[in-house]
Amino acid sequence: MTDKKEKSLFEVLKEIDEETSKMNGIIKQPEKKFSEWEKDFQAWDRRFSKRMTDMEKFLTKQMGKMERFFE
């Protein structure tokens, strides 16, 4: 699974939409699918959280520079 390409949020949602559109919303092996989707959402959430943390650090650094500039 480590070699598996990480899915974007849109890819996961598209996959869910496609699965639920087949056979009037009946999903084959729902536990397996739900488990996979949950893992995909968790992986996306970790990536998103890291990006937001990095962005917060960057903005804090930039604000410090701005404050020093205007002192």
Side-chain angles (χ1 to χ4, degrees):
M1 182 157 166
T2 55
D3 295 337
K4 185 177 170 185
K5 178 186 173 285
E6 293 180 334
K7 296 178 184 174
S8 72
L9 182 61
F10 295 110
E11 290 171 326
V12 176
L13 293 173
K14 182 179 177 191
E15 187 177 309
I16 292 171
D17 181 53
E18 288 171 355
E19 280 296 321
T20 55
S21 297
K22 296 178 191 174
M23 298 176 15
N24 296 323
I26 298 171
I27 302 172
K28 292 183 179 179
Q29 299 177 322
E31 295 84 10
K32 181 180 176 187
K33 297 275 186 191
F34 292 149
S35 169
E36 290 174 12
W37 292 332
E38 181 65 27
K39 288 177 187 173
D40 291 336
F41 280 128
Q42 288 172 354
W44 177 84
D45 186 51
R46 284 191 299 274
R47 292 191 311 269
F48 181 77
S49 295
K50 182 183 180 327
R51 288 181 191 139
M52 290 298 105
T53 301
D54 292 347
M55 180 61 73
E56 183 179 11
K57 288 178 188 175
F58 173 77
L59 290 174
T60 301
K61 183 178 175 184
Q62 295 302 314
M63 287 302 296
K65 289 180 180 179
M66 293 285 290
E67 289 172 358
R68 285 190 298 279
F69 177 79
F70 287 109
E71 285 179 348

